[in-house]
Amino acid sequence: MTISAEAALAGVQSVIAAYAHAIDAGDAGAVADLFTEDGVSEIAGQGTFAGRDVIRETYGAFEPQTPQLHLVGNTVITSPPGEEVTATSDLVFFARGEQGWAVQLVGSYEDTVALVDGAWQFRKRVLSFR
């Protein structure tokens, strides 16, 4: 199957947005479902988590205590387009406290995203902080 650069970028952006919405909603099941069965989530300072069940359990412990917002942008495909691509994105994470919204951290994602049964999923997602 030939996949255009535009289609690959759209697929990557879609799974990234779905992840941000799911994590902000505290929906660990939806987060895990965005990974391949053997997918890996690597979070700087937290560890490396492999497989949907482990990812679901790990993200379940990150349930938001206050409203939060992950803004991910500047996504660039860093490999030739195909059924598996790599991409890099910037992250700004906000949380709402007593004095309103405030930046909590800034980081970046390095993703490997695969087209599996017609849906784009993370094969590997690496989060680092700046």
Side-chain angles (χ1 to χ4, degrees), residues 61-110:
F62 296 154
E63 187 171 332
Q65 302 302 306
T66 61
Q68 64 181 38
L69 180 64
H70 285 75
L71 291 181
V72 183
N74 301 329
T75 301
V76 176
I77 301 290
T78 56
S79 67
E83 292 186 21
E84 182 170 296
V85 295
T86 57
T88 187
S89 303
D90 294 323
L91 163 70
V92 180
F93 171 68
F94 296 86
R96 189 171 71 197
E98 290 180 17
Q99 300 198 5
W101 289 96
V103 174
Q104 300 299 303
L105 60 87
V106 175
S108 62
Y109 288 109
E110 297 294 330

Side-chain angles (χ1 to χ4, degrees), residues 10-73:
V12 169
Q13 288 174 326
S14 179
V15 73
I16 288 170
Y19 173 94
H21 284 280
I23 196 168
D24 288 341
D27 190 343
V31 170
D33 288 344
L34 294 169
F35 285 81
T36 60
E37 279 293 332
D38 61 349
V40 174
S41 175
E42 184 178 320
I43 303 171
Q46 297 290 319
T48 300
F49 312 99
R52 277 192 190 144
D53 290 340
V54 172
I55 290 170
R56 184 176 295 105
E57 180 181 326
T58 299
Y59 281 79
F62 296 154
E63 187 171 332
Q65 302 302 306
T66 61
Q68 64 181 38
L69 180 64
H70 285 75
L71 291 181
V72 183

